[in-house]
Amino acid sequence: MALIIGDKIPNFIAKDTFGNDFISANYIGIKPLVFYFYPKDNTPGCTAQACSFRDKYEDFKDFGAEVIGISGDSIASHQNFTSQYKLPFVLLSDSDKKLRTLFGVPASFLGLLPGRVTYVADKEGIITMIFDSVMATKHITKALEAIKKAAKS
């Protein structure tokens, strides 16, 4: 069952860029969160998306938000991707697709590729926006608008 607007981000543990445990419960209730699922490190669309989040990262931080990227790539791949593009945010490895399943991220291109979906949650962990689009760089604008809106309320 896919998460929808109004649902709470579920508790989960996943390995981050450096092989450490990322525990969602340590963030929920503390700050707004942007979880963006993307297909694969070092592909044109995913690189453009990650670099766009990187370039706007300080804007997200200004609103107290944290950005977290998630794909099925290995920790080693995430380390290389983060280093090559100087990504200031956490990437989570979802090689077993448990997080995609937990969030209900649909596949794209007739089920051939992992989907590209961004979830924005307020400080309490309640999902306020879901953006599902293959247009990689559109996710950043939509997520930032949702974070700004949440900060005003």
Side-chain angles (χ1 to χ4, degrees):
M1 183 109 164
L3 294 178
I4 59 172
I5 291 173
D7 284 350
K8 187 167 186 169
I9 295 292
N11 289 327
F12 65 86
I13 299 173
K15 293 296 182 185
D16 72 11
T17 312
F18 304 104
N20 300 315
D21 282 344
F22 174 92
I23 303 168
S24 66
N26 291 345
Y27 293 83
I28 296 167
I30 296 169
K31 57 175 64 180
L33 301 168
V34 176
F35 290 98
Y36 81 94
F37 287 83
Y38 64 99
K40 188 150 181 57
D41 292 345
N42 291 304
T43 56
C46 297
T47 299
Q49 184 177 26
C51 290
S52 293
F53 269 117
R54 175 199 66 203
D55 295 345
K56 293 289 187 183
Y57 185 66
E58 287 304 317
D59 294 341
F60 285 98
K61 295 297 277 184
D62 287 347
F63 288 101
E66 189 55 61
V67 174
I68 299 131
I70 304 169
S71 78
D73 294 294
S74 68
I75 293 166
S77 177
H78 282 342
Q79 287 173 347
N80 292 335
F81 192 48
T82 295
S83 176
Q84 182 175 359
Y85 294 102
K86 296 177 177 42
L87 304 179
F89 48 84
V90 170
L91 298 179
L92 301 180
S93 179
D94 187 33
S95 55
D96 57 7
K97 298 184 176 72
K98 283 185 179 176
L99 296 180
R100 281 186 180 279
T101 302
L102 185 63
F103 278 71
V105 178
S108 62
F109 292 113
L110 305 172
L112 300 175
L113 294 176
R116 183 184 309 277
V117 181
T118 297
Y119 298 82
V120 174
D122 64 15
K123 184 179 171 186
E124 287 72 40
I126 304 301
I127 298 170
T128 60
M129 187 216 71
I130 300 171
F131 186 65
D132 181 352
S133 173
V134 295
M135 303 300 291
T137 57
K138 299 278 186 203
H139 289 251
I140 293 78
T141 307
K142 294 287 188 185
L144 195 52
E145 287 171 2
I147 289 293
K148 285 179 183 176
K149 186 176 176 183
K152 290 179 182 174
S153 57

mmCIF file of all heavy atoms in Angstrom, residues 57-103:
data_model
loop_
_atom_site.group_PDB
_atom_site.id
_atom_site.type_symbol
_atom_site.label_atom_id
_atom_site.label_comp_id
_atom_site.label_asym_id
_atom_site.label_seq_id
_atom_site.Cartn_x
_atom_site.Cartn_y
_atom_site.Cartn_z
ATOM 1 N N TYR A 57 20.528 22.986 -1.592
ATOM 2 C CA TYR A 57 20.573 22.389 -0.263
ATOM 3 C C TYR A 57 20.520 23.428 0.851
ATOM 4 O O TYR A 57 19.787 23.253 1.824
ATOM 5 C CB TYR A 57 21.826 21.515 -0.124
ATOM 6 C CG TYR A 57 21.905 20.749 1.171
ATOM 7 C CD1 TYR A 57 20.986 19.745 1.458
ATOM 8 C CD2 TYR A 57 22.897 21.020 2.107
ATOM 9 C CE1 TYR A 57 21.046 19.038 2.647
ATOM 10 C CE2 TYR A 57 22.975 20.307 3.302
ATOM 11 C CZ TYR A 57 22.047 19.320 3.558
ATOM 12 O OH TYR A 57 22.114 18.624 4.731
ATOM 13 N N GLU A 58 21.240 24.512 0.710
ATOM 14 C CA GLU A 58 21.236 25.552 1.748
ATOM 15 C C GLU A 58 19.849 26.177 1.896
ATOM 16 O O GLU A 58 19.464 26.569 2.998
ATOM 17 C CB GLU A 58 22.295 26.614 1.473
ATOM 18 C CG GLU A 58 23.714 26.121 1.738
ATOM 19 C CD GLU A 58 23.925 25.586 3.153
ATOM 20 O OE1 GLU A 58 23.442 26.220 4.117
ATOM 21 O OE2 GLU A 58 24.564 24.530 3.297
ATOM 22 N N ASP A 59 19.102 26.277 0.797
ATOM 23 C CA ASP A 59 17.725 26.783 0.876
ATOM 24 C C ASP A 59 16.866 25.852 1.729
ATOM 25 O O ASP A 59 16.054 26.310 2.546
ATOM 26 C CB ASP A 59 17.110 26.934 -0.521
ATOM 27 C CG ASP A 59 17.798 28.014 -1.345
ATOM 28 O OD1 ASP A 59 18.493 28.879 -0.766
ATOM 29 O OD2 ASP A 59 17.649 27.992 -2.580
ATOM 30 N N PHE A 60 17.026 24.537 1.543
ATOM 31 C CA PHE A 60 16.289 23.575 2.364
ATOM 32 C C PHE A 60 16.713 23.699 3.825
ATOM 33 O O PHE A 60 15.878 23.703 4.727
ATOM 34 C CB PHE A 60 16.519 22.138 1.867
ATOM 35 C CG PHE A 60 15.775 21.814 0.602
ATOM 36 C CD1 PHE A 60 16.403 21.875 -0.638
ATOM 37 C CD2 PHE A 60 14.431 21.452 0.637
ATOM 38 C CE1 PHE A 60 15.715 21.580 -1.807
ATOM 39 C CE2 PHE A 60 13.733 21.152 -0.531
ATOM 40 C CZ PHE A 60 14.379 21.227 -1.751
ATOM 41 N N LYS A 61 18.012 23.813 4.056
ATOM 42 C CA LYS A 61 18.540 23.937 5.422
ATOM 43 C C LYS A 61 18.025 25.207 6.096
ATOM 44 O O LYS A 61 17.771 25.212 7.303
ATOM 45 C CB LYS A 61 20.070 23.930 5.416
ATOM 46 C CG LYS A 61 20.694 22.639 4.958
ATOM 47 C CD LYS A 61 20.391 21.466 5.830
ATOM 48 C CE LYS A 61 21.311 21.417 7.019
ATOM 49 N NZ LYS A 61 21.099 20.230 7.835
ATOM 50 N N ASP A 62 17.878 26.293 5.314
ATOM 51 C CA ASP A 62 17.363 27.552 5.867
ATOM 52 C C ASP A 62 15.977 27.370 6.482
ATOM 53 O O ASP A 62 15.598 28.103 7.390
ATOM 54 C CB ASP A 62 17.316 28.645 4.795
ATOM 55 C CG ASP A 62 18.697 29.175 4.439
ATOM 56 O OD1 ASP A 62 19.671 28.893 5.173
ATOM 57 O OD2 ASP A 62 18.801 29.871 3.400
ATOM 58 N N PHE A 63 15.212 26.399 5.978
ATOM 59 C CA PHE A 63 13.880 26.110 6.505
ATOM 60 C C PHE A 63 13.921 24.946 7.502
ATOM 61 O O PHE A 63 12.890 24.418 7.901
ATOM 62 C CB PHE A 63 12.901 25.808 5.368
ATOM 63 C CG PHE A 63 12.541 27.022 4.570
ATOM 64 C CD1 PHE A 63 13.138 27.263 3.338
ATOM 65 C CD2 PHE A 63 11.634 27.958 5.057
ATOM 66 C CE1 PHE A 63 12.829 28.395 2.607
ATOM 67 C CE2 PHE A 63 11.313 29.094 4.331
ATOM 68 C CZ PHE A 63 11.915 29.311 3.111
ATOM 69 N N GLY A 64 15.135 24.542 7.868
ATOM 70 C CA GLY A 64 15.305 23.486 8.865
ATOM 71 C C GLY A 64 15.124 22.077 8.333
ATOM 72 O O GLY A 64 15.038 21.126 9.100
ATOM 73 N N ALA A 65 15.042 21.934 7.018
ATOM 74 C CA ALA A 65 14.747 20.636 6.407
ATOM 75 C C ALA A 65 16.015 19.844 6.094
ATOM 76 O O ALA A 65 17.079 20.415 5.874
ATOM 77 C CB ALA A 65 13.947 20.833 5.125
ATOM 78 N N GLU A 66 15.847 18.536 6.061
ATOM 79 C CA GLU A 66 16.924 17.640 5.661
ATOM 80 C C GLU A 66 16.511 16.918 4.383
ATOM 81 O O GLU A 66 15.354 16.522 4.241
ATOM 82 C CB GLU A 66 17.218 16.621 6.762
ATOM 83 C CG GLU A 66 18.466 15.806 6.518
ATOM 84 C CD GLU A 66 19.699 16.673 6.298
ATOM 85 O OE1 GLU A 66 20.075 17.437 7.201
ATOM 86 O OE2 GLU A 66 20.278 16.586 5.197
ATOM 87 N N VAL A 67 17.449 16.767 3.451
ATOM 88 C CA VAL A 67 17.233 16.072 2.182
ATOM 89 C C VAL A 67 17.902 14.705 2.267
ATOM 90 O O VAL A 67 19.049 14.595 2.712
ATOM 91 C CB VAL A 67 17.837 16.881 1.006
ATOM 92 C CG1 VAL A 67 17.740 16.104 -0.297
ATOM 93 C CG2 VAL A 67 17.164 18.243 0.881
ATOM 94 N N ILE A 68 17.180 13.671 1.836
ATOM 95 C CA ILE A 68 17.698 12.301 1.868
ATOM 96 C C ILE A 68 17.375 11.640 0.531
ATOM 97 O O ILE A 68 16.206 11.524 0.159
ATOM 98 C CB ILE A 68 17.065 11.490 3.021
ATOM 99 C CG1 ILE A 68 17.411 12.147 4.354
ATOM 100 C CG2 ILE A 68 17.540 10.044 3.004
ATOM 101 C CD1 ILE A 68 16.248 12.356 5.249
ATOM 102 N N GLY A 69 18.408 11.227 -0.187
ATOM 103 C CA GLY A 69 18.226 10.524 -1.453
ATOM 104 C C GLY A 69 18.244 9.021 -1.233
ATOM 105 O O GLY A 69 18.988 8.519 -0.386
ATOM 106 N N ILE A 70 17.429 8.299 -2.005
ATOM 107 C CA ILE A 70 17.328 6.840 -1.849
ATOM 108 C C ILE A 70 17.315 6.176 -3.223
ATOM 109 O O ILE A 70 16.516 6.537 -4.095
ATOM 110 C CB ILE A 70 16.038 6.445 -1.093
ATOM 111 C CG1 ILE A 70 15.956 7.156 0.263
ATOM 112 C CG2 ILE A 70 15.950 4.920 -0.935
ATOM 113 C CD1 ILE A 70 14.606 7.039 0.946
ATOM 114 N N SER A 71 18.207 5.196 -3.394
ATOM 115 C CA SER A 71 18.183 4.377 -4.612
ATOM 116 C C SER A 71 18.651 2.976 -4.255
ATOM 117 O O SER A 71 19.119 2.725 -3.142
ATOM 118 C CB SER A 71 19.082 4.968 -5.704
ATOM 119 O OG SER A 71 20.444 4.672 -5.449
ATOM 120 N N GLY A 72 18.572 2.085 -5.206
ATOM 121 C CA GLY A 72 18.981 0.705 -4.997
ATOM 122 C C GLY A 72 20.477 0.482 -5.134
ATOM 123 O O GLY A 72 20.940 -0.657 -5.052
ATOM 124 N N ASP A 73 21.239 1.549 -5.316
ATOM 125 C CA ASP A 73 22.681 1.422 -5.491
ATOM 126 C C ASP A 73 23.364 0.999 -4.189
ATOM 127 O O ASP A 73 22.848 1.223 -3.093
ATOM 128 C CB ASP A 73 23.279 2.747 -5.961
ATOM 129 C CG ASP A 73 22.799 3.114 -7.356
ATOM 130 O OD1 ASP A 73 23.145 2.392 -8.300
ATOM 131 O OD2 ASP A 73 22.078 4.122 -7.484
ATOM 132 N N SER A 74 24.558 0.452 -4.327
ATOM 133 C CA SER A 74 25.342 0.005 -3.174
ATOM 134 C C SER A 74 25.918 1.196 -2.410
ATOM 135 O O SER A 74 25.964 2.322 -2.921
ATOM 136 C CB SER A 74 26.495 -0.880 -3.647
ATOM 137 O OG SER A 74 27.433 -0.093 -4.384
ATOM 138 N N ILE A 75 26.396 0.931 -1.216
ATOM 139 C CA ILE A 75 27.047 1.959 -0.410
ATOM 140 C C ILE A 75 28.267 2.492 -1.151
ATOM 141 O O ILE A 75 28.498 3.705 -1.207
ATOM 142 C CB ILE A 75 27.423 1.393 0.978
ATOM 143 C CG1 ILE A 75 26.151 1.078 1.769
ATOM 144 C CG2 ILE A 75 28.313 2.366 1.750
ATOM 145 C CD1 ILE A 75 26.383 0.220 2.997
ATOM 146 N N ALA A 76 29.043 1.598 -1.764
ATOM 147 C CA ALA A 76 30.242 2.020 -2.508
ATOM 148 C C ALA A 76 29.869 2.954 -3.658
ATOM 149 O O ALA A 76 30.540 3.966 -3.893
ATOM 150 C CB ALA A 76 30.999 0.802 -3.031
ATOM 151 N N SER A 77 28.795 2.637 -4.371
ATOM 152 C CA SER A 77 28.333 3.497 -5.455
ATOM 153 C C SER A 77 27.931 4.866 -4.914
ATOM 154 O O SER A 77 28.285 5.901 -5.488
ATOM 155 C CB SER A 77 27.147 2.847 -6.176
ATOM 156 O OG SER A 77 26.646 3.703 -7.179
ATOM 157 N N HIS A 78 27.203 4.868 -3.792
ATOM 158 C CA HIS A 78 26.810 6.144 -3.172
ATOM 159 C C HIS A 78 28.025 6.954 -2.734
ATOM 160 O O HIS A 78 28.044 8.175 -2.876
ATOM 161 C CB HIS A 78 25.902 5.895 -1.967
ATOM 162 C CG HIS A 78 24.476 5.580 -2.303
ATOM 163 N ND1 HIS A 78 23.887 5.856 -3.520
ATOM 164 C CD2 HIS A 78 23.504 5.012 -1.551
ATOM 165 C CE1 HIS A 78 22.626 5.472 -3.497
ATOM 166 N NE2 HIS A 78 22.359 4.951 -2.307
ATOM 167 N N GLN A 79 29.040 6.292 -2.209
ATOM 168 C CA GLN A 79 30.245 7.005 -1.797
ATOM 169 C C GLN A 79 30.909 7.684 -2.993
ATOM 170 O O GLN A 79 31.290 8.851 -2.920
ATOM 171 C CB GLN A 79 31.231 6.046 -1.119
ATOM 172 C CG GLN A 79 30.791 5.632 0.261
ATOM 173 C CD GLN A 79 31.677 4.562 0.875
ATOM 174 O OE1 GLN A 79 32.499 3.942 0.206
ATOM 175 N NE2 GLN A 79 31.496 4.326 2.166
ATOM 176 N N ASN A 80 31.012 6.968 -4.102
ATOM 177 C CA ASN A 80 31.616 7.539 -5.311
ATOM 178 C C ASN A 80 30.773 8.686 -5.854
ATOM 179 O O ASN A 80 31.314 9.738 -6.243
ATOM 180 C CB ASN A 80 31.795 6.463 -6.390
ATOM 181 C CG ASN A 80 32.841 5.449 -6.006
ATOM 182 O OD1 ASN A 80 33.749 5.724 -5.225
ATOM 183 N ND2 ASN A 80 32.725 4.248 -6.544
ATOM 184 N N PHE A 81 29.466 8.496 -5.892
ATOM 185 C CA PHE A 81 28.533 9.506 -6.410
ATOM 186 C C PHE A 81 28.605 10.769 -5.553
ATOM 187 O O PHE A 81 28.717 11.884 -6.072
ATOM 188 C CB PHE A 81 27.119 8.903 -6.399
ATOM 189 C CG PHE A 81 26.071 9.674 -7.151
ATOM 190 C CD1 PHE A 81 26.276 10.139 -8.437
ATOM 191 C CD2 PHE A 81 24.824 9.889 -6.569
ATOM 192 C CE1 PHE A 81 25.272 10.821 -9.131
ATOM 193 C CE2 PHE A 81 23.818 10.566 -7.243
ATOM 194 C CZ PHE A 81 24.049 11.033 -8.531
ATOM 195 N N THR A 82 28.587 10.590 -4.233
ATOM 196 C CA THR A 82 28.656 11.712 -3.296
ATOM 197 C C THR A 82 29.972 12.467 -3.449
ATOM 198 O O THR A 82 29.991 13.699 -3.492
ATOM 199 C CB THR A 82 28.505 11.203 -1.843
ATOM 200 O OG1 THR A 82 27.199 10.653 -1.701
ATOM 201 C CG2 THR A 82 28.688 12.319 -0.832
ATOM 202 N N SER A 83 31.052 11.741 -3.550
ATOM 203 C CA SER A 83 32.377 12.346 -3.678
ATOM 204 C C SER A 83 32.532 13.082 -5.006
ATOM 205 O O SER A 83 32.996 14.220 -5.051
ATOM 206 C CB SER A 83 33.445 11.261 -3.550
ATOM 207 O OG SER A 83 34.718 11.797 -3.752
ATOM 208 N N GLN A 84 32.118 12.442 -6.081
ATOM 209 C CA GLN A 84 32.275 13.027 -7.421
ATOM 210 C C GLN A 84 31.506 14.332 -7.569
ATOM 211 O O GLN A 84 31.996 15.284 -8.161
ATOM 212 C CB GLN A 84 31.823 12.024 -8.486
ATOM 213 C CG GLN A 84 32.009 12.532 -9.905
ATOM 214 C CD GLN A 84 31.662 11.475 -10.941
ATOM 215 O OE1 GLN A 84 31.304 10.346 -10.614
ATOM 216 N NE2 GLN A 84 31.770 11.829 -12.201
ATOM 217 N N TYR A 85 30.293 14.388 -7.008
ATOM 218 C CA TYR A 85 29.438 15.562 -7.197
ATOM 219 C C TYR A 85 29.318 16.429 -5.942
ATOM 220 O O TYR A 85 28.512 17.350 -5.904
ATOM 221 C CB TYR A 85 28.060 15.138 -7.717
ATOM 222 C CG TYR A 85 28.177 14.547 -9.095
ATOM 223 C CD1 TYR A 85 28.131 13.173 -9.292
ATOM 224 C CD2 TYR A 85 28.401 15.362 -10.206
ATOM 225 C CE1 TYR A 85 28.276 12.617 -10.557
ATOM 226 C CE2 TYR A 85 28.552 14.821 -11.473
ATOM 227 C CZ TYR A 85 28.491 13.461 -11.637
ATOM 228 O OH TYR A 85 28.647 12.912 -12.892
ATOM 229 N N LYS A 86 30.105 16.099 -4.917
ATOM 230 C CA LYS A 86 30.130 16.878 -3.671
ATOM 231 C C LYS A 86 28.717 17.071 -3.087
ATOM 232 O O LYS A 86 28.284 18.186 -2.824
ATOM 233 C CB LYS A 86 30.827 18.218 -3.890
ATOM 234 C CG LYS A 86 32.294 18.066 -4.270
ATOM 235 C CD LYS A 86 32.952 19.391 -4.549
ATOM 236 C CE LYS A 86 34.426 19.286 -4.860
ATOM 237 N NZ LYS A 86 34.865 18.212 -5.715
ATOM 238 N N LEU A 87 28.037 15.962 -2.932
ATOM 239 C CA LEU A 87 26.672 15.998 -2.405
ATOM 240 C C LEU A 87 26.714 16.168 -0.884
ATOM 241 O O LEU A 87 27.362 15.370 -0.195
ATOM 242 C CB LEU A 87 25.913 14.722 -2.777
ATOM 243 C CG LEU A 87 25.847 14.408 -4.272
ATOM 244 C CD1 LEU A 87 25.092 13.100 -4.506
ATOM 245 C CD2 LEU A 87 25.220 15.553 -5.058
ATOM 246 N N PRO A 88 26.041 17.190 -0.352
ATOM 247 C CA PRO A 88 26.103 17.464 1.082
ATOM 248 C C PRO A 88 25.058 16.719 1.916
ATOM 249 O O PRO A 88 25.015 16.874 3.128
ATOM 250 C CB PRO A 88 25.835 18.974 1.142
ATOM 251 C CG PRO A 88 24.907 19.208 -0.005
ATOM 252 C CD PRO A 88 25.360 18.256 -1.085
ATOM 253 N N PHE A 89 24.221 15.932 1.275
ATOM 254 C CA PHE A 89 23.139 15.245 1.979
ATOM 255 C C PHE A 89 23.352 13.734 1.938
ATOM 256 O O PHE A 89 24.175 13.219 1.194
ATOM 257 C CB PHE A 89 21.768 15.618 1.394
ATOM 258 C CG PHE A 89 21.712 15.538 -0.105
ATOM 259 C CD1 PHE A 89 21.473 14.341 -0.764
ATOM 260 C CD2 PHE A 89 21.917 16.681 -0.864
ATOM 261 C CE1 PHE A 89 21.437 14.275 -2.139
ATOM 262 C CE2 PHE A 89 21.872 16.629 -2.250
ATOM 263 C CZ PHE A 89 21.636 15.425 -2.886
ATOM 264 N N VAL A 90 22.593 13.048 2.743
ATOM 265 C CA VAL A 90 22.689 11.598 2.905
ATOM 266 C C VAL A 90 22.032 10.875 1.732
ATOM 267 O O VAL A 90 20.959 11.276 1.269
ATOM 268 C CB VAL A 90 21.988 11.180 4.225
ATOM 269 C CG1 VAL A 90 21.849 9.679 4.336
ATOM 270 C CG2 VAL A 90 22.729 11.736 5.415
ATOM 271 N N LEU A 91 22.676 9.810 1.283
ATOM 272 C CA LEU A 91 22.064 8.877 0.344
ATOM 273 C C LEU A 91 21.896 7.552 1.078
ATOM 274 O O LEU A 91 22.789 7.134 1.828
ATOM 275 C CB LEU A 91 22.946 8.662 -0.887
ATOM 276 C CG LEU A 91 23.229 9.886 -1.749
ATOM 277 C CD1 LEU A 91 24.135 9.507 -2.915
ATOM 278 C CD2 LEU A 91 21.941 10.517 -2.254
ATOM 279 N N LEU A 92 20.751 6.922 0.886
ATOM 280 C CA LEU A 92 20.492 5.626 1.517
ATOM 281 C C LEU A 92 20.495 4.534 0.460
ATOM 282 O O LEU A 92 19.964 4.716 -0.639
ATOM 283 C CB LEU A 92 19.140 5.637 2.237
ATOM 284 C CG LEU A 92 18.961 6.675 3.339
ATOM 285 C CD1 LEU A 92 17.571 6.557 3.953
ATOM 286 C CD2 LEU A 92 20.037 6.546 4.397
ATOM 287 N N SER A 93 21.085 3.399 0.815
ATOM 288 C CA SER A 93 21.122 2.254 -0.080
ATOM 289 C C SER A 93 19.876 1.393 0.166
ATOM 290 O O SER A 93 19.603 0.985 1.300
ATOM 291 C CB SER A 93 22.386 1.435 0.181
ATOM 292 O OG SER A 93 22.413 0.309 -0.670
ATOM 293 N N ASP A 94 19.149 1.131 -0.899
ATOM 294 C CA ASP A 94 17.923 0.331 -0.833
ATOM 295 C C ASP A 94 18.040 -0.855 -1.788
ATOM 296 O O ASP A 94 17.161 -1.106 -2.604
ATOM 297 C CB ASP A 94 16.717 1.224 -1.166
ATOM 298 C CG ASP A 94 15.385 0.524 -0.958
ATOM 299 O OD1 ASP A 94 15.283 -0.316 -0.042
ATOM 300 O OD2 ASP A 94 14.440 0.833 -1.706
ATOM 301 N N SER A 95 19.165 -1.559 -1.678
ATOM 302 C CA SER A 95 19.437 -2.646 -2.623
ATOM 303 C C SER A 95 18.413 -3.771 -2.550
ATOM 304 O O SER A 95 18.185 -4.463 -3.540
ATOM 305 C CB SER A 95 20.855 -3.192 -2.409
ATOM 306 O OG SER A 95 21.025 -3.584 -1.069
ATOM 307 N N ASP A 96 17.764 -3.922 -1.405
ATOM 308 C CA ASP A 96 16.744 -4.973 -1.280
ATOM 309 C C ASP A 96 15.330 -4.453 -1.566
ATOM 310 O O ASP A 96 14.351 -5.189 -1.419
ATOM 311 C CB ASP A 96 16.796 -5.615 0.107
ATOM 312 C CG ASP A 96 16.612 -4.610 1.234
ATOM 313 O OD1 ASP A 96 16.306 -3.423 0.955
ATOM 314 O OD2 ASP A 96 16.797 -5.003 2.403
ATOM 315 N N LYS A 97 15.228 -3.194 -1.934
ATOM 316 C CA LYS A 97 13.953 -2.545 -2.296
ATOM 317 C C LYS A 97 12.943 -2.485 -1.145
ATOM 318 O O LYS A 97 11.760 -2.266 -1.368
ATOM 319 C CB LYS A 97 13.323 -3.202 -3.523
ATOM 320 C CG LYS A 97 14.173 -3.109 -4.771
ATOM 321 C CD LYS A 97 13.455 -3.695 -5.967
ATOM 322 C CE LYS A 97 14.236 -3.520 -7.237
ATOM 323 N NZ LYS A 97 15.408 -4.355 -7.362
ATOM 324 N N LYS A 98 13.402 -2.641 0.082
ATOM 325 C CA LYS A 98 12.491 -2.588 1.221
ATOM 326 C C LYS A 98 11.900 -1.183 1.402
ATOM 327 O O LYS A 98 10.723 -1.046 1.730
ATOM 328 C CB LYS A 98 13.193 -3.030 2.499
ATOM 329 C CG LYS A 98 13.371 -4.523 2.613
ATOM 330 C CD LYS A 98 13.968 -4.928 3.947
ATOM 331 C CE LYS A 98 14.110 -6.434 4.018
ATOM 332 N NZ LYS A 98 14.764 -6.850 5.256
ATOM 333 N N LEU A 99 12.713 -0.155 1.181
ATOM 334 C CA LEU A 99 12.194 1.208 1.348
ATOM 335 C C LEU A 99 11.214 1.562 0.235
ATOM 336 O O LEU A 99 10.188 2.193 0.491
ATOM 337 C CB LEU A 99 13.339 2.224 1.402
ATOM 338 C CG LEU A 99 14.281 2.081 2.590
ATOM 339 C CD1 LEU A 99 15.369 3.147 2.545
ATOM 340 C CD2 LEU A 99 13.526 2.134 3.895
ATOM 341 N N ARG A 100 11.520 1.172 -0.994
ATOM 342 C CA ARG A 100 10.582 1.402 -2.105
ATOM 343 C C ARG A 100 9.239 0.740 -1.802
ATOM 344 O O ARG A 100 8.191 1.314 -2.057
ATOM 345 C CB ARG A 100 11.133 0.854 -3.422
ATOM 346 C CG ARG A 100 12.145 1.756 -4.029
ATOM 347 C CD ARG A 100 12.583 1.290 -5.420
ATOM 348 N NE ARG A 100 13.552 2.239 -5.898
ATOM 349 C CZ ARG A 100 13.254 3.404 -6.437
ATOM 350 N NH1 ARG A 100 12.014 3.759 -6.607
ATOM 351 N NH2 ARG A 100 14.200 4.236 -6.824
ATOM 352 N N THR A 101 9.303 -0.459 -1.258
ATOM 353 C CA THR A 101 8.083 -1.182 -0.905
ATOM 354 C C THR A 101 7.369 -0.502 0.258
ATOM 355 O O THR A 101 6.144 -0.326 0.228
ATOM 356 C CB THR A 101 8.418 -2.647 -0.555
ATOM 357 O OG1 THR A 101 9.075 -3.239 -1.684
ATOM 358 C CG2 THR A 101 7.180 -3.428 -0.207
ATOM 359 N N LEU A 102 8.128 -0.098 1.280
ATOM 360 C CA LEU A 102 7.561 0.553 2.457
ATOM 361 C C LEU A 102 6.820 1.844 2.086
ATOM 362 O O LEU A 102 5.730 2.113 2.578
ATOM 363 C CB LEU A 102 8.681 0.864 3.452
ATOM 364 C CG LEU A 102 8.290 1.433 4.806
ATOM 365 C CD1 LEU A 102 7.441 0.441 5.591
ATOM 366 C CD2 LEU A 102 9.536 1.801 5.597
ATOM 367 N N PHE A 103 7.412 2.631 1.181
ATOM 368 C CA PHE A 103 6.805 3.887 0.746
ATOM 369 C C PHE A 103 5.761 3.657 -0.357
ATOM 370 O O PHE A 103 4.911 4.509 -0.574
ATOM 371 C CB PHE A 103 7.870 4.859 0.231
ATOM 372 C CG PHE A 103 8.589 5.619 1.315
ATOM 373 C CD1 PHE A 103 9.480 4.996 2.162
ATOM 374 C CD2 PHE A 103 8.377 6.984 1.476
ATOM 375 C CE1 PHE A 103 10.158 5.691 3.152
ATOM 376 C CE2 PHE A 103 9.038 7.701 2.461
ATOM 377 C CZ PHE A 103 9.935 7.049 3.303
#
